[in-house]
Amino acid sequence: AGSSPVAAALQTIGTEVGLDVVAAHDVKDAVLTPARADLALVVAAHGQDEITTLRAGLEAGLPYVGLVASPKRGAAVIEELRAEGVAEELLGRLETPAGLDIGARTPPEVALTIVARIIEVRRSEAARSSTPATAVDPICGMTVVVDASTPRLEHAGKTVWFCCAGCRREFEERHEPARSHG
């Protein structure tokens, strides 16, 4: 969103690497719907009408929301969003200055760092959305999804996963000593 030289370079470079770039030259026209934006929003508008668009991108849950701005300007925008009541966890997701820090100076260089960062986010989002890891509870035989809240313990140098705390306790009683982790 924006009509800056960085926005123009983003459109060119993004298209070249296979991103479906939707350019909104007037930031107010940056409509964020799943059909129009599902990966990233980059605002490169030199301070014009950024707040509403950034807020919409953050609240839409886009995996990447970036602002092309100096660190000083970026901090001011974050404070403005905070004053408008944007939640802290959303503010923490706003990347400003946008892109990877490689010392880029020209608009095409800055755009390249942003596109590289968007690709990084896209690849990590794909990895996170893949099938979650599973394990079989050795007590009841149930297949469980492995995540931070899944009951587990270390036994014989391996992590053993359980469907519930009850199965974990039964395993501990059968296989003492074991070290519990939740």
Side-chain angles (χ1 to χ4, degrees), residues 33-48:
T33 64
R36 296 219 36 213
D38 63 356
L39 174 61
L41 167 68
V42 177
V43 176
H46 292 302
Q48 298 176 4

Side-chain angles (χ1 to χ4, degrees), residues 4-19 21-23 25 107-108 111-112 115:
S4 69
V6 171
L10 275 169
Q11 187 171 8
T12 301
I13 295 170
T15 301
E16 284 295 316
V17 299
L19 295 175
V21 178
V22 177
H25 297 289
L112 179 64
V115 169

Side-chain angles (χ1 to χ4, degrees), residues 27 43-54 66-82 84 91 94-98:
V27 175
V43 176
H46 292 302
Q48 298 176 4
D49 301 315
E50 299 165 328
I51 300 300
T52 302
T53 305
L54 288 168
L67 172 63
V68 177
S70 69
K72 183 178 179 179
R73 172 74 182 131
V77 168
I78 289 171
E79 285 307 312
E80 205 171 329
L81 287 164
R82 183 176 286 120
E84 287 199 9
L91 294 175
L94 175 57
E95 189 170 289
T96 183

Side-chain angles (χ1 to χ4, degrees), residues 2 20 25 28 36 44 51 67 78 91 105 120 125 129-130 133 137 141 147 156-157 169 176 178:
D20 184 16
H25 297 289
K28 292 180 238 174
R36 296 219 36 213
I51 300 300
L67 172 63
I78 289 171
L91 294 175
R105 300 219 189 286
E120 179 181 48
E125 282 292 310
S129 67
S130 65
D137 183 320
D147 67 16
R169 276 192 302 277
E176 287 195 23

